[in-house]
Short mmCIF file of all heavy atoms in Angstrom, two decimals:
data_model
loop_
_atom_site.label_atom_id
_atom_site.label_comp_id
_atom_site.label_asym_id
_atom_site.label_seq_id
_atom_site.Cartn_x
_atom_site.Cartn_y
_atom_site.Cartn_z
N SER A 1 139.10 90.31 19.33
CA SER A 1 140.10 91.33 19.63
C SER A 1 139.47 92.41 20.51
O SER A 1 138.38 92.91 20.21
CB SER A 1 140.64 91.96 18.35
OG SER A 1 141.26 90.98 17.55
N PRO A 2 140.12 92.77 21.62
CA PRO A 2 139.56 93.80 22.49
C PRO A 2 139.59 95.17 21.82
O PRO A 2 140.41 95.45 20.95
CB PRO A 2 140.47 93.76 23.72
CG PRO A 2 141.77 93.22 23.21
CD PRO A 2 141.40 92.26 22.10
N VAL A 3 138.68 96.03 22.26
CA VAL A 3 138.62 97.40 21.76
C VAL A 3 139.49 98.27 22.66
O VAL A 3 139.35 98.25 23.89
CB VAL A 3 137.17 97.93 21.75
CG1 VAL A 3 137.14 99.37 21.27
CG2 VAL A 3 136.30 97.04 20.86
N ARG A 4 140.39 99.03 22.05
CA ARG A 4 141.30 99.87 22.84
C ARG A 4 140.77 101.30 22.87
O ARG A 4 140.50 101.90 21.83
CB ARG A 4 142.70 99.84 22.24
CG ARG A 4 143.35 98.46 22.30
CD ARG A 4 144.66 98.45 21.56
NE ARG A 4 145.58 99.39 22.13
CZ ARG A 4 146.65 99.87 21.51
NH1 ARG A 4 146.88 99.53 20.26
NH2 ARG A 4 147.46 100.72 22.10
N GLU A 5 140.62 101.81 24.09
CA GLU A 5 140.19 103.19 24.27
C GLU A 5 140.87 103.73 25.52
O GLU A 5 141.52 102.99 26.27
CB GLU A 5 138.68 103.28 24.41
CG GLU A 5 138.11 102.46 25.57
CD GLU A 5 136.60 102.48 25.60
OE1 GLU A 5 135.98 102.04 24.61
OE2 GLU A 5 136.06 102.95 26.62
N SER A 6 140.75 105.03 25.71
CA SER A 6 141.39 105.66 26.86
C SER A 6 140.69 105.23 28.15
O SER A 6 139.46 105.31 28.27
CB SER A 6 141.35 107.18 26.71
OG SER A 6 141.99 107.80 27.81
N VAL A 7 141.47 104.75 29.13
CA VAL A 7 140.94 104.27 30.40
C VAL A 7 141.67 104.99 31.54
O VAL A 7 142.90 105.06 31.55
CB VAL A 7 141.14 102.74 30.54
CG1 VAL A 7 140.64 102.26 31.90
CG2 VAL A 7 140.42 102.00 29.42
N ASP A 8 140.90 105.52 32.47
CA ASP A 8 141.46 106.12 33.68
C ASP A 8 141.83 104.98 34.62
O ASP A 8 140.98 104.43 35.35
CB ASP A 8 140.45 107.06 34.34
CG ASP A 8 141.07 107.88 35.46
OD1 ASP A 8 142.11 107.44 36.01
OD2 ASP A 8 140.53 108.94 35.80
N LEU A 9 143.11 104.60 34.61
CA LEU A 9 143.54 103.41 35.32
C LEU A 9 143.33 103.52 36.84
O LEU A 9 142.79 102.58 37.44
CB LEU A 9 145.00 103.12 34.98
CG LEU A 9 145.53 101.73 35.35
CD1 LEU A 9 144.68 100.65 34.70
CD2 LEU A 9 146.98 101.59 34.89
N PRO A 10 143.72 104.60 37.51
CA PRO A 10 143.48 104.68 38.96
C PRO A 10 142.00 104.60 39.32
O PRO A 10 141.62 103.96 40.31
CB PRO A 10 144.09 106.03 39.34
CG PRO A 10 145.07 106.33 38.27
CD PRO A 10 144.50 105.75 37.03
N ASP A 11 141.15 105.22 38.52
CA ASP A 11 139.72 105.19 38.80
C ASP A 11 139.17 103.77 38.67
O ASP A 11 138.36 103.32 39.49
CB ASP A 11 138.98 106.13 37.86
CG ASP A 11 137.48 106.18 38.12
OD1 ASP A 11 137.09 106.67 39.20
OD2 ASP A 11 136.72 105.71 37.27
N LEU A 12 139.61 103.05 37.63
CA LEU A 12 139.15 101.68 37.44
C LEU A 12 139.60 100.78 38.59
O LEU A 12 138.83 99.97 39.12
CB LEU A 12 139.67 101.14 36.11
CG LEU A 12 139.30 99.70 35.75
CD1 LEU A 12 137.79 99.56 35.61
CD2 LEU A 12 140.00 99.26 34.46
N VAL A 13 140.88 100.92 39.00
CA VAL A 13 141.40 100.10 40.09
C VAL A 13 140.66 100.42 41.39
O VAL A 13 140.34 99.53 42.19
CB VAL A 13 142.91 100.30 40.23
CG1 VAL A 13 143.45 99.54 41.45
CG2 VAL A 13 143.64 99.84 38.98
N THR A 14 140.38 101.69 41.62
CA THR A 14 139.68 102.08 42.85
C THR A 14 138.31 101.43 42.93
O THR A 14 137.88 100.95 43.99
CB THR A 14 139.55 103.61 42.90
OG1 THR A 14 140.86 104.20 42.87
CG2 THR A 14 138.85 104.04 44.18
N LYS A 15 137.58 101.40 41.83
CA LYS A 15 136.25 100.77 41.82
C LYS A 15 136.35 99.27 42.09
O LYS A 15 135.50 98.70 42.79
CB LYS A 15 135.57 101.03 40.48
CG LYS A 15 135.21 102.49 40.25
CD LYS A 15 134.57 102.68 38.88
CE LYS A 15 134.23 104.16 38.63
NZ LYS A 15 133.64 104.37 37.28
N ILE A 16 137.36 98.64 41.53
CA ILE A 16 137.51 97.20 41.76
C ILE A 16 137.87 96.92 43.21
O ILE A 16 137.33 95.99 43.84
CB ILE A 16 138.57 96.62 40.80
CG1 ILE A 16 138.12 96.76 39.35
CG2 ILE A 16 138.86 95.17 41.11
CD1 ILE A 16 139.16 96.37 38.32
N VAL A 17 138.80 97.72 43.75
CA VAL A 17 139.21 97.52 45.14
C VAL A 17 138.04 97.74 46.09
O VAL A 17 137.91 97.07 47.13
CB VAL A 17 140.39 98.45 45.47
CG1 VAL A 17 140.72 98.41 46.96
CG2 VAL A 17 141.62 98.05 44.66
N ALA A 18 137.16 98.68 45.75
CA ALA A 18 136.00 98.94 46.61
C ALA A 18 135.11 97.71 46.74
O ALA A 18 134.46 97.52 47.79
CB ALA A 18 135.21 100.13 46.06
N ASP A 19 135.05 96.87 45.71
CA ASP A 19 134.23 95.66 45.78
C ASP A 19 134.79 94.65 46.77
O ASP A 19 134.05 93.75 47.22
CB ASP A 19 134.12 95.03 44.40
CG ASP A 19 133.37 95.92 43.41
OD1 ASP A 19 132.58 96.76 43.87
OD2 ASP A 19 133.60 95.78 42.19
N TYR A 20 136.09 94.75 47.07
CA TYR A 20 136.70 93.82 48.02
C TYR A 20 136.86 94.43 49.41
O TYR A 20 137.51 93.85 50.27
CB TYR A 20 138.09 93.40 47.51
CG TYR A 20 138.06 92.51 46.30
CD1 TYR A 20 138.13 93.06 45.02
CD2 TYR A 20 137.97 91.13 46.42
CE1 TYR A 20 138.11 92.24 43.89
CE2 TYR A 20 137.95 90.31 45.30
CZ TYR A 20 138.02 90.88 44.04
OH TYR A 20 138.01 90.07 42.92
N SER A 21 136.29 95.60 49.64
CA SER A 21 136.49 96.29 50.92
C SER A 21 135.86 95.54 52.09
O SER A 21 136.30 95.67 53.24
CB SER A 21 135.92 97.71 50.85
OG SER A 21 134.52 97.67 50.54
N LYS A 22 134.82 94.74 51.83
CA LYS A 22 134.15 94.02 52.90
C LYS A 22 134.80 92.67 53.19
O LYS A 22 134.36 91.97 54.11
CB LYS A 22 132.68 93.81 52.53
CG LYS A 22 131.90 95.11 52.39
CD LYS A 22 130.45 94.83 52.03
CE LYS A 22 129.67 96.13 51.87
NZ LYS A 22 128.24 95.89 51.51
N ASP A 23 135.79 92.30 52.42
CA ASP A 23 136.47 91.02 52.65
C ASP A 23 137.50 91.20 53.76
O ASP A 23 138.52 91.89 53.58
CB ASP A 23 137.15 90.56 51.35
CG ASP A 23 137.59 89.11 51.41
OD1 ASP A 23 137.79 88.59 52.53
OD2 ASP A 23 137.74 88.49 50.34
N ALA A 24 137.27 90.57 54.92
CA ALA A 24 138.16 90.74 56.07
C ALA A 24 139.50 90.05 55.88
O ALA A 24 140.48 90.41 56.54
CB ALA A 24 137.47 90.22 57.34
N ASP A 25 139.56 89.07 54.99
CA ASP A 25 140.80 88.33 54.79
C ASP A 25 141.69 88.96 53.71
O ASP A 25 142.74 88.41 53.39
CB ASP A 25 140.49 86.89 54.38
CG ASP A 25 139.77 86.13 55.48
OD1 ASP A 25 139.92 86.53 56.66
OD2 ASP A 25 139.05 85.17 55.16
N LEU A 26 141.29 90.08 53.15
CA LEU A 26 142.05 90.71 52.06
C LEU A 26 142.27 92.18 52.37
O LEU A 26 141.32 92.92 52.68
CB LEU A 26 141.27 90.57 50.73
CG LEU A 26 141.90 91.21 49.50
CD1 LEU A 26 143.24 90.58 49.18
CD2 LEU A 26 140.96 91.10 48.30
N ARG A 27 143.52 92.59 52.29
CA ARG A 27 143.88 93.99 52.50
C ARG A 27 144.64 94.48 51.28
O ARG A 27 145.66 93.91 50.91
CB ARG A 27 144.72 94.15 53.76
CG ARG A 27 145.11 95.61 54.04
CD ARG A 27 146.03 95.69 55.24
NE ARG A 27 146.42 97.07 55.50
CZ ARG A 27 147.34 97.44 56.41
NH1 ARG A 27 147.92 96.51 57.15
NH2 ARG A 27 147.64 98.70 56.58
N ILE A 28 144.15 95.55 50.66
CA ILE A 28 144.75 96.08 49.44
C ILE A 28 145.19 97.51 49.69
O ILE A 28 144.40 98.34 50.16
CB ILE A 28 143.76 96.04 48.25
CG1 ILE A 28 143.29 94.60 48.01
CG2 ILE A 28 144.40 96.61 47.00
CD1 ILE A 28 142.27 94.48 46.90
N ARG A 29 146.43 97.80 49.40
CA ARG A 29 146.98 99.15 49.51
C ARG A 29 147.30 99.66 48.10
O ARG A 29 147.88 98.94 47.30
CB ARG A 29 148.24 99.17 50.38
CG ARG A 29 148.00 98.81 51.83
CD ARG A 29 149.30 98.89 52.62
NE ARG A 29 150.23 97.84 52.21
CZ ARG A 29 150.32 96.66 52.81
NH1 ARG A 29 149.53 96.37 53.85
NH2 ARG A 29 151.18 95.76 52.39
N MET A 30 146.92 100.91 47.83
CA MET A 30 147.19 101.51 46.53
C MET A 30 147.37 103.02 46.71
O MET A 30 146.89 103.60 47.69
CB MET A 30 146.05 101.23 45.55
CG MET A 30 144.71 101.81 45.93
SD MET A 30 143.49 101.61 44.61
CE MET A 30 144.19 102.66 43.34
N PRO A 31 148.10 103.68 45.78
CA PRO A 31 148.32 105.12 45.91
C PRO A 31 147.02 105.89 45.77
O PRO A 31 146.11 105.50 45.02
CB PRO A 31 149.31 105.44 44.78
CG PRO A 31 149.12 104.32 43.80
CD PRO A 31 148.78 103.11 44.61
N SER A 32 146.94 107.00 46.48
CA SER A 32 145.71 107.79 46.47
C SER A 32 145.72 108.92 45.46
O SER A 32 144.67 109.47 45.14
CB SER A 32 145.46 108.36 47.88
OG SER A 32 146.57 109.17 48.28
N ASN A 33 146.89 109.31 44.97
CA ASN A 33 146.97 110.47 44.08
C ASN A 33 147.55 110.12 42.71
O ASN A 33 148.11 110.97 42.03
CB ASN A 33 147.81 111.57 44.72
CG ASN A 33 149.22 111.08 45.08
OD1 ASN A 33 149.49 109.88 45.01
ND2 ASN A 33 150.09 112.01 45.44
N ALA A 34 147.44 108.86 42.30
CA ALA A 34 148.01 108.44 41.01
C ALA A 34 147.12 108.94 39.88
O ALA A 34 145.90 109.01 40.00
CB ALA A 34 148.15 106.93 40.95
N GLU A 35 147.77 109.27 38.75
CA GLU A 35 147.07 109.69 37.55
C GLU A 35 147.72 109.01 36.35
O GLU A 35 148.93 109.14 36.15
CB GLU A 35 147.11 111.21 37.37
CG GLU A 35 146.37 111.99 38.45
CD GLU A 35 146.44 113.49 38.20
OE1 GLU A 35 147.06 113.88 37.19
OE2 GLU A 35 145.88 114.25 39.00
N ALA A 36 146.92 108.31 35.58
CA ALA A 36 147.45 107.62 34.39
C ALA A 36 146.29 107.26 33.47
O ALA A 36 145.26 106.75 33.92
CB ALA A 36 148.23 106.37 34.79
N GLN A 37 146.48 107.53 32.19
CA GLN A 37 145.52 107.18 31.15
C GLN A 37 146.16 106.13 30.25
O GLN A 37 147.20 106.37 29.66
CB GLN A 37 145.11 108.41 30.34
CG GLN A 37 144.41 109.50 31.14
CD GLN A 37 143.00 109.10 31.52
OE1 GLN A 37 142.35 108.35 30.81
NE2 GLN A 37 142.52 109.61 32.65
N ALA A 38 145.53 104.97 30.16
CA ALA A 38 146.07 103.87 29.35
C ALA A 38 145.11 103.55 28.21
O ALA A 38 143.90 103.81 28.30
CB ALA A 38 146.30 102.64 30.21
N LEU A 39 145.66 102.97 27.15
CA LEU A 39 144.85 102.49 26.03
C LEU A 39 144.55 101.02 26.25
O LEU A 39 145.46 100.18 26.19
CB LEU A 39 145.59 102.70 24.71
CG LEU A 39 145.79 104.15 24.25
CD1 LEU A 39 146.58 104.19 22.95
CD2 LEU A 39 144.45 104.85 24.08
N ALA A 40 143.29 100.70 26.52
CA ALA A 40 142.92 99.32 26.82
C ALA A 40 141.41 99.17 26.67
O ALA A 40 140.68 100.14 26.49
CB ALA A 40 143.36 98.95 28.24
N ASP A 41 140.98 97.92 26.74
CA ASP A 41 139.56 97.60 26.77
C ASP A 41 139.12 97.63 28.23
O ASP A 41 139.60 96.83 29.04
CB ASP A 41 139.33 96.21 26.17
CG ASP A 41 137.85 95.89 26.00
OD1 ASP A 41 137.08 96.21 26.93
OD2 ASP A 41 137.48 95.33 24.96
N PRO A 42 138.22 98.53 28.62
CA PRO A 42 137.87 98.66 30.05
C PRO A 42 137.36 97.36 30.65
O PRO A 42 137.75 96.99 31.76
CB PRO A 42 136.80 99.75 30.04
CG PRO A 42 137.00 100.51 28.78
CD PRO A 42 137.51 99.52 27.79
N LEU A 43 136.48 96.65 29.93
CA LEU A 43 135.93 95.41 30.47
C LEU A 43 137.00 94.35 30.61
O LEU A 43 137.09 93.67 31.64
CB LEU A 43 134.79 94.93 29.56
CG LEU A 43 134.09 93.63 30.00
CD1 LEU A 43 133.48 93.80 31.40
CD2 LEU A 43 133.02 93.23 28.99
N GLU A 44 137.85 94.20 29.56
CA GLU A 44 138.91 93.20 29.62
C GLU A 44 139.92 93.54 30.71
O GLU A 44 140.40 92.65 31.43
CB GLU A 44 139.62 93.10 28.26
CG GLU A 44 138.75 92.57 27.14
CD GLU A 44 138.46 91.09 27.28
OE1 GLU A 44 139.11 90.44 28.13
OE2 GLU A 44 137.58 90.59 26.57
N LEU A 45 140.24 94.83 30.84
CA LEU A 45 141.20 95.24 31.87
C LEU A 45 140.63 94.98 33.27
O LEU A 45 141.36 94.60 34.19
CB LEU A 45 141.56 96.72 31.69
CG LEU A 45 142.67 97.26 32.58
CD1 LEU A 45 143.94 96.45 32.41
CD2 LEU A 45 142.94 98.73 32.25
N GLN A 46 139.34 95.21 33.44
CA GLN A 46 138.72 94.92 34.73
C GLN A 46 138.81 93.42 35.05
O GLN A 46 139.11 93.03 36.18
CB GLN A 46 137.26 95.38 34.72
CG GLN A 46 136.52 95.12 36.03
CD GLN A 46 135.09 95.63 35.97
OE1 GLN A 46 134.69 96.27 34.99
NE2 GLN A 46 134.33 95.38 37.02
#
């Protein structure tokens, strides 16, 4: 069972998207000023 804790969702998504920034075949658009705290397992959500 995953552990649920507070996760800064925009920050987590931003870090993941940054790993794909060098991929020329992939373009990801996401909001720049979003704020949301979710209850989830950070590793599982990643």
Side-chain angles (χ1 to χ4, degrees):
S1 299
V3 178
R4 295 173 61 199
E5 59 185 60
S6 181
V7 177
D8 189 338
L9 195 56
D11 181 67
L12 179 63
V13 175
T14 301
K15 293 178 181 178
I16 296 174
V17 172
D19 295 336
Y20 290 92
S21 59
K22 297 180 180 180
D23 194 337
D25 296 336
L26 178 62
R27 181 184 179 187
I28 302 177
R29 294 182 292 267
M30 63 173 294
S32 58
N33 57 350
E35 295 181 0
Q37 297 287 330
L39 292 178
D41 188 318
L43 181 59
E44 294 289 349
L45 187 56
Q46 180 178 354

